[in-house]
């Protein structure tokens, strides 16, 4: 059994930074390697060590130049090309062993999830290769100015996720940039009454029934798990990772690697594991 | 034409109506915009058009204000070492910092106009999940009746999961913009949208269609039925074909209805929010300029390290500083 995160989110949300943060955390705090695969043919540059890069197969730059496509057409073409050449990717990850951990940095465009089968096909392929996959949707916390935008973010994430049928977590990135006094926890804590009260203030009265219906949904269905990520705070990173790993049950049967004299340090990375509500 | 007064009273005149065309790539947004420009124009309404897509190659409709005239997205890509996505975002950010100029131009023309149609970038997230998209949306909504027109590719919605995704995303936009919402089911010349109306009216039918494909989404959809029913009551929808012109009349009527809804419901509500919105907009514009400057510094540092000249960047910086947004001359001749 191998493990993977499928990292998604709109342009500028900090997806690639997230991948780098998690990779670093694995290396430093857990002394394990996690392999990051770039699946975005329009990616610019990486902050992480890239194990596999789809741009070695095809890049949007090349498509745009050679076929005279615009950026959207280029991306769709590149992703469809990847889909048709899935065995290339299979070969690149063929050396994955049990307990290996991969992170897939995915393109942001929502059309790739809602309208095209390619992202779903990728997930299916991974699951066929014995990977347990969790979806991670990144949202820039600074856009979550009120309950209405919070709900908007959750729905945006759900749009991508319904097509993948994966357990998923929403990560609020860039929490280190939050202004003092910002209180985003009132939304992420899952207190639907607080969210509803806020919605009443920030939306027009005609939305009343709609707000109530959505809050009921939030409560009943555990639709959305949100985790805040502050890259400057080790605890925040650990907690975030623990949430994601709980979705894929990573770490429960882990073989200790490396130095057998350090069992205590190994335990640190899995603190706080118990007692979290995973995706229902 | 009475514009907003400087007192705390927020008065938004009844016209022109701003229509923000939003939709996923391939939905036929720009084609629909073209169709509507022709249709509304021919029914003796005066239409003004703004293009906010910095990367589009060819536009079929006549444009009054075009972001491409003020910001060269390829240059941005080159000078900042960005990929196409980053360049589109940065271009829109730059344009948004000067949006006051657009408002000034619009206010001069407003007296003669009935509709202002705004085409947004092909990548929907660039507008929805960016500070610049928000700046632009808010700036328009406190000045003119503003309506969101969400364009959907009817043919793709034959797959019920795609329809569900589309509607979830529409809901996301509704909560983000909080403006009157009009869903245009486009391409009804390819496939009529009756089945979609059926799914919206009877959630069980959608559930059945979904369960034939996936049990997970079907069960999610069932839980969401109440919320989605409410959602459908909060929006209006029309079936259109940008290609044949079918549904244009219904579209026009729906826009008018949405504008009335704006006046009756949103203006009083916006009145309260207005000062907050203005302050936020100012702050957001300043933040964008700071981001741009940081980007410039990074690019300059990189160039210095590589031993390349930074003259081009300095010039770009100046261009941005002096960026003026202008109308295109040729089209305006027909207006006068």
């Amino acid at each position: 059994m191998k493990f993977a995160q499928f990292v998604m989110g709109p342009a500028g949300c900090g997806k690639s930074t997230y991948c780098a943060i998690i990779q670093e955390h694995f290396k430093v705090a857990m002394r394990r390697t996690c392999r990051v695969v770039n699946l975005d043919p329009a990616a610019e540059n990486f902050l992480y060590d890239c194990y596999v890069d789809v741009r070695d197969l095809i890049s949007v730059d090349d498509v745009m130049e050679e076929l005279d496509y615009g950026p959207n057409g280029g991306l769709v073409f590149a992703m469809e090309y990847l889909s048709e050449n899935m065995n290339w990717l299979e070969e690149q990850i063929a050396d994955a062993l049990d307990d290996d951990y991969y992170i897939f940095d995915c393109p942001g465009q929502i059309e790739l999830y809602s309208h095209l089968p390619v992202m779903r096909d990728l997930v299916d392929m991974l699951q066929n290769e014995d990977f347990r996959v969790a979806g991670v949707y990144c949202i820039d916390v600074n856009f979550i100015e009120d309950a209405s935008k919070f709900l908007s973010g959750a729905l945006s994430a759900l749009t991508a996720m319904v097509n993948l049928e994966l357990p998923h977590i929403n990560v609020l990135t860039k929490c280190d940039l939050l202004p003092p006094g910002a209180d985003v926890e009132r939304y992420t804590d899952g207190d639907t009454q607080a969210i509803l009260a806020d919605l009443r203030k920030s939306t027009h009265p005609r939305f009343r029934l709609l707000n109530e219906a959505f809050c009921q949904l939030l409560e009943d269905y555990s639709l959305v798990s949100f985790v805040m990520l502050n890259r400057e705070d080790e605890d925040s990173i650990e907690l975030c990772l623990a949430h994601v790993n709980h979705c894929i049950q990573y770490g429960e049967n882990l073989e200790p690697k490396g130095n057998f004299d350090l069992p205590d340090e190994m335990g640190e990375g899995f603190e706080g594991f118990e007692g979290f509500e995973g995706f229902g | 034409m009475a514009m907003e007064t400087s007192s705390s009273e927020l008065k938004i005149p009844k016209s022109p109506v701003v229509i923000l065309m939003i939709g996923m790539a391939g939905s036929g947004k720009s084609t629909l915009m073209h169709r509507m420009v022709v249709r509304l124009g021919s029914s003796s309404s005066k239409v003004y058009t703004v293009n906010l897509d910095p990367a589009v190659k060819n536009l079929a409709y006549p444009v009054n204000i075009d972001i491409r005239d003020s910001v060269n997205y390829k240059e941005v890509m080159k000078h900042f070492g960005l990929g196409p996505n980053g360049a589109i975002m940065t271009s829109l950010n730059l344009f948004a910092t000067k949006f006051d100029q657009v408002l000034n131009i619009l206010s001069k023309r407003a007296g003669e106009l009935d509709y202002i149609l705004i085409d947004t970038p092909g990548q929907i997230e660039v507008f929805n999940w960016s500070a610049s998209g928000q700046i632009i949306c808010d700036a328009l909504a406190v000045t003119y009746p503003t309506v969101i027109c969400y364009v959907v590719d009817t043919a793709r919605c034959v797959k019920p999961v795609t329809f569900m995704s589309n509607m979830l995303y529409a809901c996301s936009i509704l909560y983000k913009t909080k403006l009157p919402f009009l869903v245009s089911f486009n391409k009804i010349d390819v496939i009529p949208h009756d089945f979609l109306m059926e799914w919206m009216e009877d959630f069980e039918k959608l559930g059945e269609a979904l369960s034939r494909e996936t049990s997970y989404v079907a069960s999610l959809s069932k839980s969401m039925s109440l919320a989605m029913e409410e959602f459908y009551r909060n929006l209006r929808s029309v079936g259109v074909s940008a290609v044949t012109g079918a549904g244009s009349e219904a579209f026009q009527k729906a826009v008018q209805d949405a504008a009335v809804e704006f006046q009756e419901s949103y203006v009083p509500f916006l009145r309260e929010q207005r000062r907050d919105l203005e302050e936020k907009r100012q702050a957001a514009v300043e933040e964008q300029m700071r981001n741009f400057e940081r980007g410039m510094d990074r690019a300059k540092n990189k160039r210095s390290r590589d031993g390349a000249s930074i003259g081009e960047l300095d010039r770009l910086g100046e261009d941005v500083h002096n960026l003026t947004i202008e109308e295109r001359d040729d089209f305006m001749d027909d207006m006068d």
Side-chain angles (χ1 to χ4, degrees), chain A residues 87-258:
Chain A
N87 48 6
W88 174 85
L89 185 59
E90 283 168 23
E91 277 161 35
Q92 304 298 315
I93 59 175
D95 60 347
L97 302 168
D98 272 352
D99 292 339
D100 274 358
Y101 200 101
Y102 280 67
I103 298 184
F104 292 86
D105 188 1
C106 302
Q109 277 80 338
I110 194 73
E111 294 87 340
L112 299 174
Y113 301 86
S114 57
H115 287 53
L116 300 173
V118 53
M119 301 313 288
R120 179 57 192 260
D121 289 345
L122 278 163
V123 167
D124 288 345
M125 183 275 278
L126 289 174
Q127 290 173 329
N128 283 337
E129 296 290 318
D130 203 29
F131 276 86
R132 221 179 260 151
V133 190
V136 174
Y137 194 87
C138 295
I139 299 175
D140 183 342
V141 74
N142 297 284
F143 282 120
I144 312 294
E145 296 171 325
D146 58 25
S148 184
K149 299 213 161 77
F150 169 75
L151 200 47
S152 178
L155 287 164
S156 190
L158 203 55
T159 306
M161 293 298 180
V162 289
N163 293 281
L164 303 181
E165 295 189 36
L166 292 173
H168 99 258
I169 299 277
N170 295 332
V171 173
L172 295 176
T173 56
K174 310 190 193 179
C175 289
D176 46 301
L177 299 176
L178 271 176
D183 180 19
V184 182
E185 280 91 342
R186 63 194 266 107
Y187 309 129
T188 60
D189 279 346
D191 180 357
T192 49
Q193 287 313 304
I195 296 174
L196 192 56
D198 243 29
L199 283 172
R200 255 186 227 122
K201 274 189 288 177
S202 63
T203 60
H204 188 275
R206 70 188 301 126
F207 282 62
R208 185 175 61 89
L209 289 173
L210 185 61
N211 294 340
E212 282 170 16
F214 270 112
C215 284
Q216 193 60 51
L217 199 61
L218 283 175
E219 217 174 274
D220 290 345
Y221 213 89
S222 310
L223 258 188
V224 286
S225 301
F226 279 86
V227 179
M228 295 178 66
L229 181 62
N230 177 346
R231 64 185 302 187
E232 307 292 322
D233 180 356
E234 255 325 286
D235 288 339
S236 169
I237 300 174
E238 258 183 45
L239 191 62
C240 178
L241 189 56
H243 261 100
V244 177
N245 286 343
H246 187 75
C247 284
I248 46 178
Q249 292 158 323
Y250 175 74
E252 283 166 19
N253 300 313
L254 213 56
E255 293 279 321
K257 276 192 183 156

Side-chain angles (χ1 to χ4, degrees), chain A residues 68 111 148 152 165 204 211 221, chain B residues 25 57 165 172 175 214 223 265:
Chain A
D68 199 28
E111 294 87 340
S148 184
S152 178
E165 295 189 36
H204 188 275
N211 294 340
Y221 213 89
Chain B
K57 285 210 154 172
S165 299
S172 168
Y175 269 104
T214 150
S223 322
S265 311

